[in-house]
Amino acid sequence: MSEPILIENPMYIVDARGVRKGSSFTIIDGEVSFKERIKSGRIVDARNRVVSIGFYNCHSHIPMILLAGFYSNLGFWPWLKNIISLENKLMDKGILNDENTYYSSLIYCSLLARSGCCGIVDMYYYWWSAVNACEKIGLRIMSGPPNPNSWSSFRREISRINYNLFTPIINMHSLYGVDINIIKSVVDEIRSNIPWIKLHIHVSETRDEVYGIWSKYGKYPIQLLEEYNLIDNSLLVHLCWTTYSEIELLKHRRCFMAHCPTSNALLYTGSVAPIVELDEVGVVVTLGTDGFNPSYEVNLRRVAKDSVLQLRQQYWSAEVSAWDVYRFLAVNGAKLFGVDNVIAEGRNPDIVLMDIVREARSFVDEDNLIEFIVYSPELTPVRMVIVNGNIIYDSGFNSDVEKEITYALSKLSNVRRKVREFMGEVENEE
Amino acid sequence: MVKYAAALYSGGKDSTYSLHLAYLQGYVIKCLLVIIPPKDSELYHTPYVNLTLLQADSLGLPFIRIKGDGMDALRTALAKLRKDYPEVKYIITGALRSDYQRMRFNFIASEFNLKVISPLWRKDQEEYLRDVVRHGIRFTLTSISVKGLPPKYLGKIIDERDVEEIIMLSKVHGFNPAFEGGEAETLVLDAPLFRKKLIIEDYEVIHEWEYVYRLLIKRIRVVEK
């Protein structure tokens, strides 16, 4: 049972149905009501505030904030090679371990939550650490062991989690990282036990990846996934180099994609995903920060803005609007997590409350609110985040979480020092 | 950083306009890559590719000219490019919406560690056609192979009125207004980067069959601008 909440007199409400003038509503055990009144509980003064459904980070490698700043300014392949090599060495040395990934996850999750994030899709080593960090804060998380090799090992791994906002997902790194036949057999085996489970995989991120797949199989990556019947119910990440023939294959399929414009641009992967076309054929487009290394991003709304900027430059048109990327960020993100995306009687959405700062109030209205939300996060800062009916952020976290974050910060500065020392040793050896 | 580039060039509106845009975006074009393909090439633009010599002269650019087809021809051209112009890091192409072209060019370019720039990629096709004419690319049609596109455009310099008519006809007959599906082939006679312009002095329109027409250029002249 969570504490009943009354959201009183919000200026506007935004959800899958669009923008409308706000009116007071209650949230009791996660359920919205415009009729119910509460006798006791939390009363939130929402004057000058916007109430939106939550935002979702649909692709990340949460603990990678631990490696922030390493190998910046490299293109995708040298970056990946260096990062994987560093991770392996740090694991061998015991520096990258489940404790440190937990504390780095806690830091990254707290930063994301402060910007309105309600759920994260993750893929990383010590995957349970990120789940534990999300549990500590109260965020939803979809994750699972990286590159599982059988149902029994997968079941054993996920059985260690007992968190009601955790959803297992099959994390397969990529078609170049894992053999397609192994992906197929493991996915089929897991799905014979959990039919609804999603496959989460990087696809067509770089030109060399696509060329590699094409040279090996004579097919583009999505054509290969189609041949192995792996498109439906998948979360395909990046899709930068997707061809029109592949887009046709994705038409009217139960398929999600995570667009990560910020990390794609920072790693200069050379092509922008054809988001307009993917959206048109019915792919559920969502947004992701990717890892903090390489994206340096903690605010999903800036990812949304990056997406608009890149796509308008690419298409030379305004085909992608602020509303489109709000859909990707909030409406479609909620769909991926199976959460309601409307604020309506009897529904159970996650909720974000944003201020409209005093200076902006005179020029924000119902018609341009979405533009302000997407393009000007500084003028519409997040003040409260409610996940599954619980206030997880209220201009700060509860004292227990804040204390843990403080501890994590001191812990991580030591770990970062060790990583730097270790990198210095490696460089000297080389 | 100076961005040295080579442009895959066929002499049609797409490759000329993409070269024009790349130039405006700060690429320094070192040479043209001209593939002389067989008639039925799926990858390259064919009619009047021989006139690219005159166009290269008009542009004041050297060229690498390779006879052949498919990925091998491009591989040969890029190998020569690497040898003759090692400073070139980018290839400019006029790909609009053809992944067949775009991805094959990319695959071969990746073998030579070259990056492909396609300034026209995914642009709205109607707006693109308007822009081509508005930005001073003077072209004519050299072949038509689609129902609904009248032969009057063969030999004529396409103007803004023609563009609107072509767009309207494309909607009625369901063809691509930028001719991305090979509905028509074009030849550029003048462009802002041309130092000289081409003038067709004598031509004949050949009706090959049904709605397939071809422009037979009998005499062409290059004049100073």
Side-chain angles (χ1 to χ4, degrees), chain B residues 127-170:
Chain B
E127 278 310 304
Y128 158 67
L129 194 61
R130 290 187 181 106
D131 282 349
V132 168
V133 172
R134 198 159 47 219
H135 294 172
I137 311 293
R138 304 278 170 256
F139 69 94
T140 186
L141 270 55
T142 56
S143 72
I144 289 173
S145 50
V146 69
K147 189 181 172 189
L149 202 52
K152 66 176 182 179
Y153 299 124
L154 294 165
K156 180 184 185 304
I157 291 184
I158 302 300
D159 61 24
E160 292 187 9
R161 259 176 71 178
D162 297 327
V163 164
E164 293 311 319
E165 193 174 73
I166 289 168
I167 290 170
M168 185 269 290
L169 290 169
S170 75

Side-chain angles (χ1 to χ4, degrees), chain B residues 23 36 38 43 45 59 87 116 119 125 134 142 150-152 156 163 168 178 188 191 196 199 205-206 216 221 224:
Chain B
Y23 178 80
I36 313 279
L43 201 54
H45 173 175
L59 284 160
E87 70 277 31
V116 176
Q125 308 279 283
R134 198 159 47 219
T142 56
K152 66 176 182 179
K156 180 184 185 304
V163 164
M168 185 269 290
V188 171
K196 301 168 187 171
I199 295 175
V205 173
I206 311 286
L216 177 66
R221 193 157 58 95
E224 295 291 335

Side-chain angles (χ1 to χ4, degrees), chain A residues 82 155 229 233 249 259 265 276-278 285 339 360:
Chain A
N82 279 295
R155 185 184 53 187
N229 196 23
N233 207 22
L249 290 176
H259 180 39
V276 173
E277 289 84 348
L278 290 165
V285 178
V339 178

Side-chain angles (χ1 to χ4, degrees), chain B residues 187-207:
Chain B
L187 174 71
V188 171
L189 300 168
D190 192 12
L193 293 176
F194 279 25
R195 296 170 189 176
K196 301 168 187 171
K197 64 181 176 183
L198 281 61
I199 295 175
I200 298 175
E201 291 192 323
D202 191 14
Y203 69 88
E204 192 181 333
V205 173
I206 311 286
H207 187 183

Side-chain angles (χ1 to χ4, degrees), chain A residues 329-361:
Chain A
L329 176 66
V331 178
N332 290 354
K335 267 187 205 168
L336 178 69
F337 277 82
V339 178
D340 280 335
N341 56 22
V342 289
I343 300 171
E345 195 67 30
R347 307 297 281 271
N348 296 267
D350 296 332
I351 298 281
V352 173
L353 268 80
M354 288 166 278
D355 269 353
I356 300 175
V357 301
R358 193 186 58 183
E359 292 81 352
R361 275 173 216 155

Side-chain angles (χ1 to χ4, degrees), chain A residues 166-226:
Chain A
F166 162 71
T167 307
I169 197 165
I170 306 171
N171 277 330
M172 290 290 185
H173 184 270
S174 57
L175 291 169
Y176 59 87
V178 187
D179 183 87
I180 182 72
N181 292 301
I182 294 173
I183 296 176
K184 173 68 177 164
S185 68
V186 175
V187 168
D188 282 356
E189 198 188 356
I190 295 174
R191 281 185 175 159
S192 68
N193 291 282
I194 312 176
W196 48 263
I197 197 166
K198 289 183 175 61
L199 166 65
H200 176 210
I201 184 167
H202 301 91
V203 182
S204 298
E205 188 170 4
T206 66
R207 180 176 75 171
D208 284 352
E209 172 195 338
V210 176
Y211 189 23
I213 301 294
W214 188 79
S215 302
K216 190 171 175 186
Y217 300 100
K219 292 176 192 307
Y220 292 126
I222 291 171
Q223 292 173 335
L224 186 65
L225 288 171
E226 166 72 353

Side-chain angles (χ1 to χ4, degrees), chain A residues 258-269:
Chain A
H259 180 39
C260 306
T262 314
S263 77
N264 293 154
L266 280 169
L267 292 171
Y268 47 98
T269 56

Side-chain angles (χ1 to χ4, degrees), chain A residues 277-292:
Chain A
E277 289 84 348
L278 290 165
D279 187 39
E280 272 171 8
V281 300
V283 173
V284 182
V285 178
T286 65
L287 296 176
T289 56
D290 212 341
F292 186 83

